[in-house]
Coordinates of all heavy atoms in Angstrom, one line a residue:
L65 N 48.3 91.1 69.0 CA 48.3 89.7 69.4 C 49.3 89.3 70.4 O 49.2 88.3 71.1 CB 48.5 88.7 68.2 CG 47.3 88.8 67.2 CD1 47.7 87.9 66.0 CD2 46.1 88.3 67.8
G66 N 50.4 90.1 70.5 CA 51.4 89.9 71.5 C 52.5 88.9 70.9 O 52.4 88.4 69.8
R67 N 53.5 88.7 71.7 CA 54.6 87.9 71.2 C 54.3 86.4 71.5 O 53.7 86.1 72.5 CB 55.9 88.3 72.0 CG 56.4 89.7 71.6 CD 57.7 90.0 72.3 NE 58.7 89.1 71.8 CZ 59.7 89.5 70.9 NH1 59.7 90.7 70.4 NH2 60.6 88.6 70.6
A68 N 54.9 85.5 70.6 CA 54.7 84.1 70.8 C 55.7 83.5 71.8 O 55.5 82.5 72.4 CB 54.8 83.4 69.5
D69 N 56.9 84.2 71.9 CA 57.9 83.8 72.9 C 57.6 84.4 74.3 O 56.6 85.0 74.5 CB 59.3 84.1 72.4 CG 59.5 85.6 72.2 OD1 58.6 86.4 72.6 OD2 60.6 86.0 71.7
Q70 N 58.5 84.2 75.2 CA 58.3 84.7 76.5 C 59.2 85.9 76.8 O 59.8 86.1 77.8 CB 58.7 83.6 77.5 CG 57.7 82.4 77.4 CD 56.3 82.8 77.6 OE1 55.9 83.6 78.4 NE2 55.4 82.2 76.7
Q71 N 59.3 86.8 75.8 CA 60.1 88.0 75.9 C 59.1 89.2 76.1 O 58.1 89.3 75.4 CB 60.9 88.2 74.7 CG 62.0 89.3 74.8 CD 62.8 89.4 73.6 OE1 62.4 90.1 72.7 NE2 63.9 88.8 73.6
V72 N 59.5 90.0 77.1 CA 58.6 91.2 77.4 C 59.5 92.4 77.5 O 60.8 92.3 77.6 CB 57.8 91.0 78.7 CG1 56.8 89.9 78.6 CG2 58.7 90.8 79.9
K73 N 58.9 93.6 77.5 CA 59.7 94.8 77.8 C 59.4 95.3 79.2 O 58.2 95.5 79.5 CB 59.3 95.9 76.7 CG 60.3 95.9 75.6 CD 60.1 97.2 74.8 CE 61.3 97.3 73.9 NZ 61.3 98.5 73.1
V74 N 60.4 95.6 79.9 CA 60.3 96.2 81.3 C 61.2 97.4 81.3 O 62.4 97.3 81.1 CB 60.8 95.2 82.3 CG1 60.7 95.8 83.7 CG2 60.0 93.9 82.3
D75 N 60.6 98.6 81.6 CA 61.3 99.8 81.6 C 62.2 100.1 80.4 O 63.3 100.6 80.5 CB 62.2 99.9 82.9 CG 61.3 99.9 84.2 OD1 60.2 100.3 84.1 OD2 61.8 99.5 85.2
G76 N 61.7 99.7 79.2 CA 62.4 99.9 78.0 C 63.4 98.8 77.6 O 64.0 98.8 76.6
Y77 N 63.6 97.8 78.5 CA 64.6 96.7 78.3 C 63.8 95.5 77.9 O 62.8 95.2 78.4 CB 65.4 96.4 79.6 CG 66.2 97.5 80.1 CD1 65.8 98.4 81.1 CD2 67.5 97.7 79.5 CE1 66.6 99.4 81.5 CE2 68.3 98.8 80.0 CZ 67.9 99.6 81.0 OH 68.6 100.6 81.5
R78 N 64.4 94.7 77.0 CA 63.8 93.4 76.6 C 64.3 92.4 77.6 O 65.5 92.3 78.0 CB 64.3 93.0 75.2 CG 63.7 93.8 74.1 CD 64.3 93.4 72.8 NE 64.0 94.4 71.8 CZ 63.1 94.3 70.9 NH1 62.4 93.2 70.7 NH2 62.8 95.3 70.0
V79 N 63.3 91.7 78.1 CA 63.6 90.7 79.2 C 63.1 89.3 78.7 O 61.9 89.2 78.3 CB 62.9 91.1 80.5 CG1 63.0 90.0 81.6 CG2 63.4 92.4 81.0
E80 N 63.9 88.3 78.8 CA 63.5 87.0 78.5 C 63.1 86.3 79.9 O 64.0 86.2 80.8 CB 64.7 86.2 77.9 CG 64.4 84.8 77.5 CD 63.4 84.7 76.3 OE1 63.5 85.5 75.4 OE2 62.4 83.9 76.4
L81 N 61.8 86.0 80.0 CA 61.3 85.5 81.3 C 62.1 84.2 81.7 O 62.3 84.0 82.9 CB 59.8 85.3 81.2 CG 59.0 86.5 80.9 CD1 57.5 86.2 80.9 CD2 59.3 87.6 82.0
G82 N 62.4 83.4 80.7 CA 63.1 82.1 81.0 C 64.4 82.3 81.7 O 64.9 81.5 82.5
E83 N 65.1 83.5 81.5 CA 66.4 83.7 82.1 C 66.2 84.0 83.6 O 67.0 83.5 84.4 CB 67.0 85.0 81.5 CG 68.4 85.2 82.0 CD 69.1 86.4 81.3 OE1 68.6 86.9 80.3 OE2 70.2 86.8 81.8
I84 N 65.1 84.7 84.0 CA 64.9 84.9 85.4 C 64.5 83.5 86.0 O 65.0 83.2 87.1 CB 63.7 85.9 85.6 CG1 64.1 87.2 84.9 CG2 63.4 86.1 87.0 CD1 62.9 88.2 84.8
E85 N 63.7 82.7 85.4 CA 63.3 81.4 85.9 C 64.5 80.5 86.1 O 64.7 79.8 87.1 CB 62.3 80.8 85.0 CG 61.0 81.5 84.9 CD 60.1 81.2 83.8 OE1 60.4 80.2 83.0 OE2 59.0 81.8 83.7
H86 N 65.5 80.6 85.1 CA 66.7 79.8 85.2 C 67.5 80.2 86.5 O 67.9 79.3 87.2 CB 67.5 80.0 84.0 CG 69.0 79.6 84.1 ND1 69.3 78.2 84.1 CD2 70.1 80.3 84.4 CE1 70.6 78.1 84.3 NE2 71.1 79.3 84.5
H87 N 67.7 81.5 86.7 CA 68.5 81.9 87.9 C 67.8 81.5 89.2 O 68.4 81.1 90.2 CB 68.7 83.4 87.9 CG 69.8 83.8 86.9 ND1 71.1 83.5 87.1 CD2 69.7 84.3 85.6 CE1 71.8 83.9 86.1 NE2 71.0 84.4 85.2
E88 N 66.4 81.6 89.2 CA 65.7 81.2 90.4 C 65.9 79.7 90.7 O 66.1 79.3 91.8 CB 64.2 81.6 90.2 CG 63.4 81.2 91.4 CD 63.0 79.7 91.4 OE1 62.8 79.1 90.3 OE2 63.0 79.2 92.5
R89 N 65.8 78.9 89.6 CA 65.9 77.5 89.8 C 67.3 77.1 90.3 O 67.5 76.2 91.1 CB 65.6 76.7 88.5 CG 64.2 76.7 88.1 CD 63.9 75.9 86.9 NE 62.6 76.1 86.4 CZ 62.2 76.7 85.3 NH1 63.1 77.3 84.6 NH2 61.0 76.9 85.0
A90 N 68.3 77.8 89.8 CA 69.7 77.6 90.3 C 69.8 77.9 91.7 O 70.6 77.2 92.4 CB 70.7 78.4 89.4
L91 N 69.1 78.9 92.2 CA 69.2 79.3 93.6 C 68.4 78.4 94.6 O 68.9 78.0 95.6 CB 68.7 80.7 93.8 CG 69.7 81.8 93.3 CD1 69.0 83.1 93.3 CD2 71.0 81.8 94.1
T92 N 67.2 78.0 94.2 CA 66.3 77.3 95.1 C 66.2 75.8 94.8 O 65.7 75.0 95.6 CB 64.9 77.9 95.0 OG1 64.3 77.6 93.7 CG2 64.9 79.4 95.3
G93 N 66.5 75.4 93.6 CA 66.4 74.0 93.2 C 64.9 73.7 92.8 O 64.6 72.5 92.6
A94 N 64.0 74.7 92.8 CA 62.6 74.5 92.5 C 62.5 74.1 91.0 O 63.2 74.6 90.1 CB 61.8 75.7 92.8
H95 N 61.6 73.2 90.7 CA 61.4 72.7 89.4 C 60.3 73.6 88.7 O 60.4 73.8 87.5 CB 61.1 71.3 89.3 CG 62.1 70.4 89.8 ND1 63.3 70.2 89.1 CD2 62.3 69.6 90.9 CE1 64.1 69.4 89.7 NE2 63.5 69.0 90.8
L96 N 59.4 74.0 89.4 CA 58.3 74.8 88.9 C 58.3 76.2 89.3 O 57.9 76.5 90.4 CB 56.9 74.1 89.2 CG 56.8 72.7 88.6 CD1 55.5 72.0 89.1 CD2 56.7 72.8 87.0
A97 N 58.8 77.1 88.5 CA 58.8 78.5 88.7 C 58.5 79.2 87.4 O 58.9 78.8 86.4 CB 60.2 78.9 89.2
V98 N 57.6 80.2 87.6 CA 57.1 80.9 86.4 C 57.1 82.4 86.7 O 56.7 82.8 87.8 CB 55.7 80.5 86.0 CG1 55.2 81.3 84.8 CG2 55.7 79.0 85.6
V99 N 57.6 83.2 85.7 CA 57.5 84.6 85.9 C 56.3 85.1 85.0 O 56.2 84.8 83.8 CB 58.8 85.3 85.4 CG1 58.7 86.8 85.5 CG2 60.0 84.9 86.3
A100 N 55.4 85.9 85.6 CA 54.3 86.5 84.9 C 54.5 88.0 84.9 O 55.3 88.5 85.6 CB 53.0 86.1 85.6
V101 N 53.7 88.6 84.0 CA 53.8 90.1 83.9 C 52.5 90.7 84.3 O 51.5 90.3 83.9 CB 54.1 90.4 82.4 CG1 54.2 91.9 82.2 CG2 55.4 89.8 82.0
D102 N 52.7 91.7 85.1 CA 51.5 92.5 85.6 C 51.7 93.9 84.9 O 52.6 94.6 85.0 CB 51.7 92.7 87.1 CG 50.7 93.8 87.7 OD1 50.0 94.4 86.9 OD2 50.7 93.9 88.9
V103 N 50.7 94.2 84.0 CA 50.8 95.4 83.2 C 49.7 96.5 83.6 O 49.3 97.2 82.8 CB 50.6 95.1 81.7 CG1 51.9 94.4 81.2 CG2 49.4 94.3 81.4
A104 N 49.4 96.5 84.9 CA 48.5 97.5 85.4 C 49.3 98.8 85.6 O 49.9 99.0 86.7 CB 47.8 97.0 86.7
G105 N 49.3 99.7 84.7 CA 50.0 100.9 84.8 C 51.4 100.9 84.2 O 51.7 101.6 83.3
H106 N 52.2 99.9 84.7 CA 53.5 99.7 84.1 C 53.9 98.2 84.3 O 53.3 97.5 85.2 CB 54.6 100.6 84.7 CG 54.9 100.3 86.2 ND1 54.1 100.6 87.2 CD2 56.0 99.7 86.7 CE1 54.7 100.2 88.3 NE2 55.8 99.6 88.0
T107 N 54.8 97.8 83.6 CA 55.1 96.3 83.6 C 55.9 96.0 84.9 O 56.9 96.6 85.2 CB 55.9 96.0 82.4 OG1 55.2 96.3 81.2 CG2 56.2 94.5 82.3
Q108 N 55.4 95.0 85.6 CA 56.1 94.4 86.7 C 56.2 93.0 86.6 O 55.3 92.3 86.0 CB 55.3 94.7 88.0 CG 55.3 96.0 88.6 CD 54.7 96.0 90.0 OE1 53.8 95.2 90.3 NE2 55.1 96.9 90.8
L109 N 57.3 92.4 87.1 CA 57.5 91.0 87.0 C 57.1 90.3 88.3 O 57.4 90.9 89.4 CB 59.0 90.7 86.7 CG 59.5 91.2 85.4 CD1 61.0 91.0 85.4 CD2 58.8 90.6 84.3
V110 N 56.4 89.2 88.2 CA 55.9 88.5 89.4 C 56.4 87.1 89.3 O 56.1 86.4 88.3 CB 54.4 88.5 89.5 CG1 53.9 87.8 90.8 CG2 53.8 89.9 89.5
L111 N 57.2 86.6 90.2 CA 57.7 85.2 90.2 C 56.8 84.3 91.0 O 56.5 84.6 92.2 CB 59.1 85.2 90.8 CG 59.8 83.8 90.9 CD1 59.9 83.1 89.6 CD2 61.1 84.0 91.6
Y112 N 56.3 83.3 90.4 CA 55.4 82.3 91.1 C 56.2 81.0 91.3 O 56.8 80.5 90.4 CB 54.2 82.0 90.3 CG 53.2 83.1 90.3 CD1 53.1 83.9 89.2 CD2 52.4 83.4 91.4 CE1 52.2 85.0 89.2 CE2 51.5 84.4 91.4 CZ 51.4 85.2 90.3 OH 50.5 86.3 90.2
L113 N 56.3 80.5 92.5 CA 57.0 79.3 92.8 C 56.0 78.3 93.4 O 55.4 78.5 94.4 CB 58.1 79.6 93.9 CG 59.1 80.6 93.4 CD1 60.0 81.0 94.6 CD2 60.0 80.0 92.3
E114 N 56.0 77.1 92.8 CA 55.0 76.1 93.3 C 55.6 75.4 94.5 O 56.7 75.0 94.6 CB 54.8 75.0 92.2 CG 53.8 74.0 92.6 CD 53.4 73.1 91.4 OE1 52.6 73.4 90.6 OE2 54.1 72.0 91.3
A115 N 54.7 75.4 95.6 CA 55.0 74.7 96.9 C 56.3 75.3 97.5 O 57.1 74.6 98.1 CB 55.1 73.2 96.7
W116 N 56.4 76.6 97.4 CA 57.6 77.3 98.0 C 57.3 78.0 99.3 O 56.2 78.6 99.4 CB 58.2 78.3 97.0 CG 59.4 79.1 97.4 CD1 60.6 78.6 97.5 CD2 59.4 80.4 97.8 NE1 61.5 79.6 98.0 CE2 60.8 80.7 98.1 CE3 58.5 81.4 97.9 CZ2 61.2 82.0 98.6 CZ3 58.9 82.7 98.3 CH2 60.2 82.9 98.7
T117 N 58.1 77.8 100.3 CA 57.8 78.4 101.6 C 59.0 79.2 102.1 O 59.1 79.5 103.3 CB 57.5 77.3 102.6 OG1 58.6 76.4 102.7 CG2 56.2 76.6 102.2
G118 N 59.9 79.6 101.2 CA 61.1 80.3 101.6 C 60.8 81.8 101.9 O 59.7 82.2 101.9
E119 N 61.9 82.5 102.2 CA 61.8 83.9 102.6 C 62.0 84.8 101.3 O 63.0 84.6 100.6 CB 62.9 84.2 103.6 CG 63.0 85.6 104.1 CD 61.8 86.0 104.9 OE1 61.2 85.2 105.7 OE2 61.3 87.2 104.8
V120 N 61.0 85.7 101.1 CA 61.0 86.5 99.9 C 62.3 87.4 99.9 O 63.0 87.5 98.9 CB 59.7 87.4 99.8 CG1 59.8 88.4 98.8 CG2 58.5 86.5 99.6
R121 N 62.6 88.0 101.0 CA 63.7 88.9 101.1 C 65.0 88.2 100.8 O 65.9 88.8 100.1 CB 63.9 89.6 102.5 CG 62.9 90.7 102.7 CD 63.2 91.4 103.9 NE 62.0 91.9 104.5 CZ 61.9 92.3 105.7 NH1 62.9 92.3 106.5 NH2 60.7 92.7 106.2
T122 N 65.2 87.0 101.2 CA 66.4 86.2 101.0 C 66.5 85.9 99.5 O 67.6 86.1 98.9 CB 66.4 84.9 101.8 OG1 66.2 85.3 103.2 CG2 67.6 84.1 101.6
L123 N 65.5 85.5 98.9 CA 65.5 85.1 97.5 C 65.8 86.4 96.6 O 66.6 86.4 95.7 CB 64.2 84.4 97.0 CG 64.2 84.0 95.6 CD1 65.4 83.1 95.2 CD2 62.9 83.2 95.3
T124 N 65.1 87.5 97.0 CA 65.3 88.7 96.3 C 66.8 89.2 96.4 O 67.4 89.6 95.4 CB 64.4 89.8 96.8 OG1 63.1 89.4 96.6 CG2 64.6 91.1 96.0
A125 N 67.4 89.1 97.6 CA 68.8 89.4 97.8 C 69.7 88.5 97.0 O 70.8 89.0 96.6 CB 69.1 89.4 99.3
E126 N 69.3 87.3 96.9 CA 70.2 86.3 96.1 C 70.1 86.5 94.6 O 71.0 86.3 93.9 CB 69.9 84.9 96.5 CG 70.3 84.6 97.9 CD 69.9 83.2 98.3 OE1 69.0 82.6 97.7 OE2 70.3 82.7 99.4
L127 N 68.9 87.0 94.1 CA 68.7 87.2 92.7 C 69.4 88.5 92.3 O 69.8 88.7 91.2 CB 67.2 87.3 92.4 CG 66.5 86.0 92.3 CD1 65.0 86.2 92.1 CD2 67.0 85.1 91.1
A128 N 69.4 89.5 93.2 CA 69.9 90.9 92.8 C 71.3 90.9 92.2 O 71.5 91.6 91.2 CB 69.8 91.8 94.0
P129 N 72.3 90.2 92.7 CA 73.6 90.3 92.1 C 73.7 89.5 90.8 O 74.6 89.7 90.0 CB 74.5 89.7 93.1 CG 73.7 89.0 94.2 CD 72.3 89.5 94.0
R130 N 72.7 88.6 90.6 CA 72.8 87.8 89.3 C 72.0 88.4 88.2 O 72.3 88.0 87.0 CB 72.1 86.4 89.6 CG 72.9 85.6 90.6 CD 72.1 84.3 91.0 NE 72.8 83.5 91.9 CZ 73.2 82.3 91.6 NH1 73.0 81.8 90.4 NH2 73.9 81.5 92.4
L131 N 71.1 89.3 88.5 CA 70.3 89.9 87.4 C 70.4 91.4 87.5 O 70.5 92.0 88.6 CB 68.8 89.5 87.6 CG 68.5 88.0 87.5 CD1 67.1 87.8 88.0 CD2 68.7 87.6 86.1
P132 N 70.2 92.1 86.3 CA 70.1 93.6 86.4 C 68.8 94.0 87.2 O 67.9 93.2 87.3 CB 69.9 94.0 84.9 CG 70.2 92.7 84.1 CD 70.1 91.6 85.0
P133 N 68.8 95.2 87.8 CA 67.7 95.6 88.6 C 66.3 95.5 87.9 O 65.4 95.1 88.6 CB 68.0 97.0 89.0 CG 69.5 97.1 88.8 CD 69.9 96.2 87.7
Y134 N 66.2 95.7 86.7 CA 64.9 95.7 86.0 C 64.4 94.2 85.8 O 63.3 94.0 85.5 CB 65.0 96.4 84.6 CG 66.0 95.8 83.7 CD1 65.7 94.8 82.8 CD2 67.3 96.3 83.6 CE1 66.6 94.3 81.9 CE2 68.2 95.8 82.7 CZ 67.9 94.8 81.9 OH 68.8 94.3 81.0
M135 N 65.3 93.2 86.0 CA 64.9 91.8 85.9 C 64.6 91.2 87.2 O 64.1 90.0 87.2 CB 66.0 91.0 85.1 CG 66.1 91.4 83.7 SD 67.4 90.5 82.8 CE 66.8 88.8 82.9
V136 N 64.8 91.8 88.3 CA 64.5 91.3 89.6 C 63.0 91.4 89.8 O 62.4 92.5 89.7 CB 65.3 92.0 90.8 CG1 64.8 91.4 92.1 CG2 66.8 91.8 90.6
P137 N 62.3 90.3 90.1 CA 60.8 90.4 90.2 C 60.4 91.3 91.3 O 61.0 91.4 92.4 CB 60.4 88.9 90.6 CG 61.5 88.1 90.0 CD 62.7 88.9 90.2
A138 N 59.3 92.1 91.0 CA 58.8 93.0 92.0 C 58.1 92.3 93.1 O 58.1 92.8 94.2 CB 57.8 94.0 91.3
R139 N 57.5 91.1 92.8 CA 56.8 90.3 93.8 C 57.3 88.8 93.6 O 57.5 88.4 92.5 CB 55.3 90.4 93.7 CG 54.8 91.7 94.1 CD 53.2 91.7 94.2 NE 52.4 90.7 93.6 CZ 51.6 91.0 92.6 NH1 51.4 92.2 92.2 NH2 50.8 90.1 92.1
I140 N 57.3 88.1 94.7 CA 57.6 86.7 94.7 C 56.5 86.0 95.5 O 56.3 86.4 96.6 CB 59.0 86.3 95.2 CG1 60.0 87.0 94.4 CG2 59.2 84.8 95.3 CD1 61.4 86.8 94.9
E141 N 55.8 85.1 94.9 CA 54.7 84.4 95.6 C 54.8 82.9 95.5 O 55.1 82.3 94.5 CB 53.3 84.8 95.0 CG 52.9 86.2 95.2 CD 51.5 86.4 94.7 OE1 50.7 85.5 94.6 OE2 51.3 87.6 94.3
G142 N 54.6 82.2 96.7 CA 54.5 80.8 96.7 C 53.0 80.5 96.3 O 52.1 81.2 96.6
I143 N 52.9 79.4 95.5 CA 51.5 79.0 95.0 C 51.4 77.5 95.2 O 52.4 76.8 95.0 CB 51.3 79.5 93.6 CG1 49.9 79.3 93.1 CG2 52.3 78.9 92.6 CD1 49.6 80.0 91.8
A144 N 50.3 77.0 95.7 CA 50.1 75.6 95.9 C 50.3 74.8 94.7 O 51.0 73.8 94.7 CB 48.7 75.3 96.5
A145 N 49.7 75.2 93.6 CA 49.9 74.5 92.3 C 49.8 75.5 91.2 O 48.9 76.4 91.2 CB 48.9 73.4 92.1
L146 N 50.7 75.5 90.2 CA 50.6 76.3 89.1 C 49.5 75.9 88.2 O 49.2 74.7 88.0 CB 51.9 76.3 88.3 CG 53.1 76.9 89.0 CD1 54.4 76.6 88.3 CD2 53.0 78.4 89.1
P147 N 48.7 76.9 87.6 CA 47.6 76.5 86.8 C 48.1 75.9 85.5 O 49.1 76.4 84.9 CB 46.9 77.8 86.6 CG 47.9 78.9 86.8 CD 48.8 78.3 87.8
L148 N 47.4 74.9 85.0 CA 47.7 74.3 83.7 C 46.6 74.5 82.7 O 45.4 74.5 83.1 CB 47.9 72.8 83.9 CG 49.0 72.4 84.9 CD1 49.1 70.9 85.1 CD2 50.4 73.0 84.5
N149 N 46.9 74.5 81.5 CA 45.9 74.6 80.4 C 45.5 73.2 80.0 O 46.0 72.2 80.5 CB 46.4 75.5 79.2 CG 47.6 74.9 78.5 OD1 47.9 73.7 78.6 ND2 48.3 75.8 77.8
A150 N 44.6 73.1 79.0 CA 44.1 71.8 78.5 C 45.2 70.9 78.0 O 45.1 69.7 78.0 CB 43.1 72.1 77.5
N151 N 46.3 71.5 77.6 CA 47.4 70.7 77.0 C 48.4 70.3 78.1 O 49.5 69.7 77.8 CB 48.2 71.5 75.9 CG 47.3 71.7 74.7 OD1 46.4 70.9 74.4 ND2 47.5 72.8 74.1
G152 N 48.2 70.7 79.4 CA 49.1 70.3 80.5 C 50.2 71.3 80.6 O 51.2 71.0 81.4
K153 N 50.2 72.4 79.9 CA 51.3 73.3 80.0 C 50.9 74.4 81.0 O 49.7 74.6 81.3 CB 51.6 74.0 78.7 CG 52.1 73.0 77.7 CD 52.4 73.7 76.3 CE 53.0 72.7 75.3 NZ 53.3 73.3 74.1
I154 N 51.9 75.1 81.5 CA 51.6 76.2 82.5 C 50.7 77.3 81.8 O 51.1 77.7 80.7 CB 52.8 76.8 83.1 CG1 53.5 75.7 83.9 CG2 52.6 78.0 83.9 CD1 54.9 76.1 84.4
D155 N 49.6 77.6 82.4 CA 48.7 78.6 81.9 C 49.2 80.0 82.3 O 48.8 80.6 83.3 CB 47.3 78.3 82.5 CG 46.2 79.1 81.8 OD1 46.5 80.1 81.0 OD2 45.0 78.8 82.0
R156 N 50.0 80.6 81.5 CA 50.6 81.9 81.7 C 49.5 83.0 81.8 O 49.6 83.9 82.6 CB 51.7 82.3 80.8 CG 52.9 81.5 81.1 CD 54.1 81.8 80.1 NE 55.2 81.0 80.4 CZ 56.2 81.3 81.2 NH1 56.2 82.4 81.8 NH2 57.2 80.5 81.3
P157 N 48.5 83.0 80.9 CA 47.4 84.0 81.0 C 46.7 84.0 82.3 O 46.3 85.0 82.8 CB 46.5 83.6 79.8 CG 47.4 83.0 78.8 CD 48.4 82.2 79.6
A158 N 46.5 82.8 82.9 CA 45.9 82.7 84.2 C 46.7 83.3 85.3 O 46.2 84.0 86.2 CB 45.5 81.2 84.6
L159 N 48.0 83.1 85.2 CA 49.0 83.7 86.1 C 49.0 85.3 86.0 O 49.1 86.0 86.9 CB 50.4 83.2 86.0 CG 50.5 81.7 86.5 CD1 51.9 81.2 86.2 CD2 50.3 81.7 88.0
R160 N 49.0 85.7 84.7 CA 48.9 87.2 84.4 C 47.7 87.8 85.1 O 47.7 88.8 85.7 CB 49.0 87.4 82.9 CG 49.1 88.9 82.6 CD 49.3 89.1 81.1 NE 50.5 88.4 80.6 CZ 50.5 87.4 79.7 NH1 49.3 87.0 79.3 NH2 51.6 86.8 79.4
Q161 N 46.5 87.1 84.9 CA 45.3 87.6 85.5 C 45.4 87.6 87.0 O 44.9 88.5 87.7 CB 44.1 86.7 85.1 CG 42.8 87.2 85.5 CD 42.4 88.6 85.0 OE1 42.8 88.9 83.9 NE2 41.8 89.4 85.8
R162 N 46.0 86.6 87.6 CA 46.2 86.5 89.1 C 47.0 87.7 89.5 O 46.8 88.3 90.5 CB 46.8 85.2 89.4 CG 47.1 85.0 90.9 CD 47.8 83.7 91.2 NE 48.3 83.7 92.5 CZ 47.8 82.9 93.5 NH1 46.8 82.0 93.2 NH2 48.3 82.9 94.7
A163 N 48.1 88.0 88.8 CA 49.0 89.1 89.1 C 48.2 90.4 89.1 O 48.4 91.3 89.9 CB 50.2 89.2 88.1
L164 N 47.3 90.6 88.1 CA 46.5 91.8 88.0 C 45.5 91.9 89.2 O 45.2 93.1 89.6 CB 45.8 91.9 86.7 CG 46.7 92.1 85.5 CD1 45.9 91.9 84.2 CD2 47.3 93.5 85.5
E165 N 45.0 90.8 89.7 CA 44.0 90.8 90.7 C 44.6 91.0 92.1 O 43.9 91.5 93.0 CB 43.2 89.5 90.7 CG 42.3 89.4 89.5 CD 41.7 88.0 89.3 OE1 42.1 87.1 90.1 OE2 41.0 87.8 88.4
R166 N 45.8 90.7 92.3 CA 46.5 90.8 93.6 C 47.2 92.1 93.8 O 47.9 92.5 92.9 CB 47.5 89.7 93.8 CG 46.7 88.4 93.6 CD 47.2 87.3 94.4 NE 47.6 87.3 95.7 CZ 47.5 86.3 96.5 NH1 46.8 85.3 96.0 NH2 47.9 86.3 97.7
P167 N 47.0 92.8 94.9 CA 47.7 94.1 95.1 C 49.2 93.9 95.3 O 49.6 92.8 95.8 CB 47.0 94.7 96.4 CG 46.5 93.5 97.1 CD 46.1 92.5 96.0
A168 N 49.9 94.9 94.9 CA 51.4 94.8 95.0 C 51.9 94.8 96.5 O 51.2 95.2 97.4 CB 52.1 95.9 94.3

């Protein structure tokens, strides 16, 4: 069934997705940022930022000293609007599916 919280394993390390989202928000000031997991072959982190138009390399470089290497997202994508479920919460399964459908 999976975990009820937002903790995943990446390269054998336990990762709290909210911690990555917290550091991203501190850097960009974005209110809507979500980390999803791509598990095609091995676990990769994908950071989705709503209405973000910044530079991926810059954000990655700024996250690198704040997070261990296994917590730096493999991909960062700007998205027009984060998908919501029927309760108005971010639809993480839809983001996970999006991560699986998009090439790295």
Side-chain angles (χ1 to χ4, degrees):
L65 294 174
R67 294 185 63 104
D69 61 6
Q70 297 303 320
Q71 191 177 85
V72 297
K73 266 198 166 177
V74 176
D75 296 334
Y77 296 98
R78 291 178 194 251
V79 174
E80 184 66 43
L81 300 179
E83 185 176 350
I84 300 167
E85 294 165 3
H86 165 77
H87 284 287
E88 179 282 324
R89 286 183 190 110
L91 287 170
T92 67
H95 295 293
L96 293 175
V98 177
V99 177
V101 178
D102 170 355
V103 289
H106 69 284
T107 304
Q108 281 190 334
L109 300 174
V110 182
L111 174 62
Y112 290 102
L113 300 167
E114 187 171 272
W116 181 72
T117 58
E119 180 67 35
V120 171
R121 281 190 216 166
T122 303
L123 183 54
T124 302
E126 290 174 348
L127 283 172
R130 294 172 178 247
L131 298 169
Y134 60 89
M135 289 178 68
V136 176
R139 289 193 338 245
I140 299 174
E141 291 185 28
I143 187 170
L146 292 168
L148 302 177
N149 63 20
N151 295 327
K153 295 181 180 179
I154 295 172
D155 190 348
R156 288 181 183 268
L159 287 173
R160 186 173 302 114
Q161 185 61 37
R162 179 184 171 109
L164 289 170
E165 291 170 355
R166 303 213 36 152

